[in-house]
Amino acid sequence: MVELARLFGLSRQRIQQLAVRPGFPEPLASLEMGKVWWLPQVLDWAIRTNRPVPGLSGHTVAAAPLGRRAVVGAAELARQFGVGRQRVQQIAAKPGFPRPAATLTMGRLWYEDECRAWDRARKGGPATSKAAPSEESDPGTTT
């Protein structure tokens, strides 16, 4: 939300008001850290509603780093792995853990499918399996 506020030159409270209006794009994800929108949809909304975007003045924006894949934050990974958010940050710093899909003011986001594949591979399962990960062991340990 902070990024949208900067982009439009508005307060976070005003962005919250706009986000509940009909026609504003649905969030890509509603995470514990906050809602995350897909930038191309927000920019399309701005064009359709003739809303100025001062944050784009003279800049080109790479508009689709997240794409349409599910993303998770540290709180969601903590629940998935059965650890605290601080432990997630330690795990995320380890070699082999997926790189963040984006780093926002409110925190880092990872692609959910990559984190699940990492967790399955760490537990010795097939990395491409769609099976739900087990939460029995500490994700920071190797088996």
Side-chain angles (χ1 to χ4, degrees):
M1 183 130 355
V2 172
E3 285 78 7
L4 289 181
R6 286 184 189 145
L7 183 67
F8 288 103
L10 301 170
S11 69
R12 287 181 291 170
Q13 291 79 12
R14 181 65 181 135
I15 294 296
Q16 288 174 337
Q17 292 169 349
L18 291 172
V20 297
R21 285 189 169 179
F24 195 86
E26 290 294 317
L28 173 67
S30 291
L31 306 175
E32 192 169 310
M33 67 171 73
K35 294 180 180 177
V36 179
W37 284 268
W38 196 40
L39 185 58
Q41 287 182 328
V42 175
L43 293 177
D44 181 59
W45 168 83
I47 291 166
R48 284 186 286 107
T49 59
N50 294 318
R51 180 155 306 273
V53 186
L56 289 183
S57 179
H59 299 284
T60 303
V61 173
L66 295 178
R68 300 288 291 163
R69 293 166 61 191
V71 293
V72 291
E76 289 75 22
L77 288 177
R79 276 193 299 279
Q80 178 184 337
F81 297 155
V83 298
R85 282 185 273 183
Q86 185 173 2
R87 180 69 179 130
V88 168
Q89 300 304 330
Q90 294 168 345
I91 293 167
K94 290 184 175 224
F97 192 81
R99 293 179 55 129
T103 300
L104 307 175
T105 302
M106 61 185 175
R108 293 183 288 179
L109 301 175
W110 293 270
Y111 289 119
E112 183 177 30
D113 59 340
E114 290 179 2
C115 293
R116 287 188 184 276
W118 173 86
D119 192 35
R120 281 189 299 274
R122 179 193 60 76
K123 292 176 180 173
T128 57
S129 167
K130 294 293 182 188
S134 167
E135 296 184 10
E136 294 174 8
S137 63
D138 178 357
T141 61
T142 55
T143 54

